[in-house]
Amino acid sequence: MKIVFFGTSAFAAPALKKLSEARYDIQGIITQPDQPAGRKKILTPPPVKEAALRAGFRIFQPATLKDDVFFEQFKSLEPELAVVAAYGKIIPQRYLEVPVHGFLNIHPSLLPRYRGPSPIQTALLNGDTETGITIMEVDAQMDHGPIIAQETVAIGSAETYPDLHDRLADHGAELLGAVIPDYVTGAMTPVLQDDSQATFCRMLTREDGKIDWSTPTEKIYNQIRALNPEPGTWTTWNGQVLNIKKASLQNGQLHIEIVQLAGKKETALKEFLQGRPDFKLSDLGR
């Protein structure tokens, strides 16, 4: 079966690997263009492109899906099924009509909960104890299509975004691999989402990482474990931005473990305090 894969971030890499191992006929990898990264703004390929290069797949990086030029290229690949995982752009309707088996998407939440671009971080921010993976058909609306399969995944009380992200990526790849054979033969019946139960999440920004020390300790802890490494959590100290990179919650108390003063390297709090006898936790945020 001919498959075209749409994906950009590291979340999509395990799914691509799974499809490759299952020896599907992968006609092409569609990913976003290389982007400047880091302080030096070095042009950097997305993780899926790097994985595709290692595997020897044909790669496409259209700047837009809205013009006719790339659409004609997509049609020429003659996909029977398309798979989307963290691609980062809405797939136009006319693309959805090309593959005979349509498009399947891997979404890291139990839809219709947390439709949108930040479901993993939002689950952590809200202190949820479980989340999950949804394999769904793609339609014209964001994260709205009928559900093919779901799997619930418990969230550890101390789990951070990178750890949960990687676990969900692996779960998503496994679930995708398990459902495709039955899906394409019609043995699985898609179930419409209950729109009345839908909740939404948004793109998170640097401002979302600003710590309000007057809020409950557990909320601050969830903020730190959800928003690192990006967009990061931060406060101010002595007129400077102090990034809070890692913390733990012990007996209801927040223990800051790793910090980074603006323009400096991150360091353990114990080392940061050396030579700073004037530092007081009560001064944070001032």
Side-chain angles (χ1 to χ4, degrees):
M1 183 170 59
K2 294 181 178 179
I3 291 180
V4 171
F5 187 88
F6 287 72
T8 301
S9 77
F11 179 84
L16 177 58
K17 183 174 184 289
K18 187 68 176 181
L19 294 175
S20 178
E21 290 173 347
R23 302 199 178 281
Y24 288 108
D25 187 3
I26 299 177
Q27 295 294 296
I29 309 301
I30 300 171
T31 189
Q32 293 202 35
D34 297 3
Q35 297 292 332
R39 291 183 180 179
K40 295 184 179 179
K41 303 298 181 184
I42 297 173
L43 202 60
T44 303
V48 164
K49 179 181 179 180
E50 294 179 332
L53 286 171
R54 290 193 295 269
F57 292 126
R58 190 178 180 188
I59 298 169
F60 302 88
Q61 293 181 275
T64 179
L65 299 179
K66 296 179 180 180
D67 60 31
D68 294 335
V69 176
F70 182 71
F71 180 62
E72 293 302 320
Q73 284 186 296
F74 174 71
K75 288 197 299 182
S76 72
L77 298 176
E78 300 181 342
E80 297 168 88
L81 174 70
V83 172
V84 185
Y87 177 57
K89 292 182 179 179
I90 297 294
I91 309 295
Q93 178 64 38
R94 61 177 177 172
Y95 281 77
L96 305 182
E97 298 168 356
V98 173
V100 64
H101 298 299
F103 277 66
L104 292 184
N105 179 47
I106 307 172
H107 186 78
S109 81
L110 296 174
L111 291 171
R113 187 171 176 81
Y114 298 148
R115 293 176 180 175
S118 61
I120 303 175
Q121 290 165 305
T122 302
L124 289 168
L125 277 171
N126 289 343
D128 293 355
T129 58
E130 66 178 26
T131 182
I133 286 290
T134 300
I135 307 296
M136 55 170 285
E137 291 181 335
V138 179
D139 65 13
Q141 300 181 52
M142 182 180 63
D143 302 329
H144 173 272
I147 293 170
I148 306 301
Q150 288 187 317
E151 178 184 340
T152 299
V153 176
I155 301 176
S157 60
E159 196 160 22
T160 62
Y161 169 74
D163 294 334
L164 183 57
H165 170 280
D166 291 352
R167 282 208 302 128
L168 289 174
D170 290 340
H171 278 282
E174 292 297 322
L175 188 58
L176 174 73
V179 304
I180 284 179
D182 286 340
Y183 173 72
V184 298
T185 60
M188 302 186 76
T189 303
V191 178
L192 294 177
Q193 294 187 41
D194 183 352
D195 291 343
S196 70
Q197 299 299 310
T199 61
F200 298 87
C201 55
R202 59 180 175 80
M203 190 70 72
L204 298 167
T205 68
R206 179 69 171 166
E207 191 60 27
D208 291 305
K210 185 178 182 180
I211 296 173
D212 178 356
W213 296 102
S214 68
T215 58
T217 300
E218 187 172 354
K219 183 176 180 179
I220 295 173
Y221 173 62
N222 289 338
Q223 186 180 11
I224 294 169
R225 68 190 185 114
L227 301 185
N228 281 298
E230 294 292 338
T233 46
W234 58 280
T235 186
T236 54
W237 172 73
N238 200 22
Q240 302 176 79
V241 171
L242 182 67
N243 297 296
I244 310 297
K245 309 295 288 186
K246 184 179 179 181
S248 61
L249 193 64
Q250 302 171 28
N251 299 320
Q253 291 188 325
L254 184 71
H255 293 260
I256 298 174
E257 297 179 0
I258 298 176
V259 299
Q260 180 186 35
L261 201 59
K264 305 292 184 180
K265 294 182 179 180
E266 62 180 56
T267 182
L269 181 63
K270 183 178 179 180
E271 296 176 4
F272 178 80
L273 294 178
Q274 294 177 0
R276 293 184 172 92
D278 57 333
F279 182 89
K280 296 179 182 178
L281 290 176
S282 60
D283 289 336
L284 293 179
R286 297 180 180 177

